[in-house]
Amino acid sequence: MNFIETRGNDETRPKTVTFSQAILDPIASFGGLYVPQTLPELGEEFLNKHLKSSYKELASDMLSRFGIDIEQSVIDEALALYDNFDDSSNPVPVVKVKENLYVSELYHGPTRAFKDMALQPFGVVLSSIAQKKNENYLILAATSGDTGPAALETFKNRANVRVACLYPDGGTSDVQRLQMVTEDAQNLKVIGINGVFDDAQAALKRLLASKSFKSALKEKNVSLSAANSVNFGRIIFQIMYHIHSYLELVRQNAITMGEKVYLNVPSGNFGNALGGYYAFKMGLPVEKIIISSNENNVLTRLFITGKYDIKGESVIGTTSPAMDILKSSNVERVLYDMFGDVRTKELMDDLEVKHAYTLTPDELSKLQEIFDADYCNGDEGKKYIKDTFTKYGYLMDPHTATCFKSYETCSNPEIKTIVYSTAEWTKFSPVIANALTGEVDAQDIVALESISKEANLEIPAMVKGLFSKKIVQDTIIEKEDIEKEILKFL
Ligand SMILES: *Cc1c(COP(=O)(O)O)cnc(C)c1O
């Protein structure tokens, strides 16, 4: 299958590209994105066929229906990484919280957050493409906490790929920082900067666009790439867990085959939700996809009013920082799917120039046929964490908690809901400890211990071990020195 562009073609780029090309060079004409030319029809026949399949069998068959230009042996190697999740026979457990409400836990991978679902296999795929082309890639990442650890973990010691990961010193949780600075591999460089996440992100964008930086890399025989969440190489691995979660409900006799369910997704850059939308388009029986946000509620406003408006706004820091976002990039792929490339370009140009776009009433009602949305603030989130734990014994993180508000406000309780849980409690422990016990401003290690006691849960060894692991990445610099530091590393 080939990939085409969300904003049309500018006559200088190819009109269609392969999956590998879309991975290596993810930005299409006019700053658009690549999307599959058609989506495979899976439908009930596919669902029935995979009722007894393992996660890997389901994933492998789904990938083969996409007809991507990646050899089966590479796909097998990529999917084998799910064997290292907590339960090798089921990397994504789906847990019943109460009548009609289920949680699909996407965080059982090595870095305890859902970024592993896509980045784990993506690392193998990208490295294999680079080896095949006999090229070396530098992956640049800027992280506020979850993407960095997951990118480092997946590319660690992989051939033909190096990673430079920028994080704001003091701007991540202790667990997130330790996951990065204890990563010991020749091909990884972790750089703390004196600044905030926006400084790291701005530096990354500057480097990605810099001709002089690119030519300095070229002298070292290295090309530049980014593993950000608009890359279709990541999106493709975010479709199968929606199908898997549905099948889990069938297996648990919670639903009968064909019965529609809500997918409720804590959303930031919209990769997770887009995976659900594609699964729906491919035939998954979905009642609605509910988009949950925090105080940065630009998506809620879009799905309720048809207006995407970020004029004069800045990002608000919240207790669910992985969803602190103004420009939610993957929404563009839904706009393209519903309204075509000409209209998508028009809307995206408006967003660029006027910092806002407005859908027509017809377009909005089309969007609302499948999407609904609400947002949840930090205090409400903490209340959902506490109440859900007290009433049902289920402990969740602050990102997941945003779904419990929209569950109440957007869905018919008679219809089953799958909430997607994107992080383990260990990753955002100070907020959770505060929600459970009222304890404020605890360090991660203190908060982990108090939650462990309160909820009678063991701190996973891989998290506990971080606090005594040797720190090997100790570079902390001013943002002006980033380029020099990266060139030194290469
Ligand atoms: C990245 C992330 C999200 C947001 O996912 P998107 O696919 O960008 O919408 C939500 N929760 C956590 C914990 C994350 O790391």
Side-chain angles (χ1 to χ4, degrees), residues 68-103:
I68 53 179
D69 62 332
I70 304 293
E71 286 158 35
Q72 189 59 40
S73 60
V74 174
I75 290 177
D76 290 343
E77 188 190 340
L79 295 178
L81 292 173
Y82 291 125
D83 293 342
N84 303 331
F85 281 43
D86 291 338
D87 177 355
S88 62
S89 71
N90 184 2
V92 182
V94 180
V95 176
K96 181 172 179 175
V97 173
K98 62 171 181 174
E99 202 55 38
N100 293 347
L101 179 60
Y102 295 78
V103 177

Side-chain angles (χ1 to χ4, degrees), residues 118-173:
L119 275 167
Q120 279 284 302
F122 178 75
V124 172
V125 171
L126 183 69
S127 168
S128 89
I129 298 173
Q131 288 173 65
K132 213 165 160 184
K133 291 175 70 106
N134 208 9
E135 288 177 0
N136 291 300
Y137 282 87
L138 171 68
I139 310 278
L140 283 183
T143 188
S144 60
D146 282 336
T147 304
L152 294 165
E153 187 62 31
T154 192
F155 289 116
K156 178 165 71 180
N157 296 321
R158 293 224 179 274
N160 297 48
V161 180
R162 271 169 280 191
V163 180
C165 176
L166 311 173
Y167 73 95
D169 186 38
T172 70
S173 77

Side-chain angles (χ1 to χ4, degrees), residues 114-115 146 266-272 322-323 399 422-423:
F114 107 104
K115 299 291 187 288
D146 282 336
S267 296
N269 219 12
F270 213 74
N272 195 354
M323 291 152 58
H399 301 78
T422 48

Side-chain angles (χ1 to χ4, degrees), residues 107 112-116 145-147 176 229 234-235 238 241 265-274 291-292 299 320-325 328 330 397-400 420-424 427-428:
Y107 57 71
R112 319 314 286 165
F114 107 104
K115 299 291 187 288
D116 288 330
D146 282 336
T147 304
Q176 289 169 329
S229 73
R234 281 175 61 176
I235 299 294
Q238 297 186 56
Y241 58 67
V265 189
S267 296
N269 219 12
F270 213 74
N272 195 354
L274 179 72
I291 304 302
S292 303
L299 290 171
S320 44
M323 291 152 58
D324 290 352
I325 199 162
S328 180
N330 279 303
D397 96 294
H399 301 78
T400 312
Y420 290 88
S421 180
T422 48
E424 187 176 60
K427 272 217 117 157
F428 298 94

Side-chain angles (χ1 to χ4, degrees), residues 362-416:
D362 282 353
E363 287 168 342
L364 176 60
S365 48
K366 196 159 177 205
L367 207 60
Q368 289 175 339
E369 277 171 27
I370 184 64
F371 290 106
D372 200 354
D374 201 357
Y375 72 100
C376 173
N377 71 33
D379 286 340
E380 291 169 326
K382 279 189 269 186
K383 195 167 176 320
Y384 284 110
I385 291 173
K386 167 111 183 168
D387 288 353
T388 307
F389 179 68
T390 311
K391 277 193 205 146
Y392 309 107
Y394 188 77
L395 188 63
M396 63 187 164
D397 96 294
H399 301 78
T400 312
T402 62
C403 300
F404 280 63
K405 165 102 177 267
S406 55
Y407 171 73
E408 287 179 357
T409 57
C410 300
S411 42
N412 173 351
E414 303 289 307
I415 298 174
K416 269 81 174 176

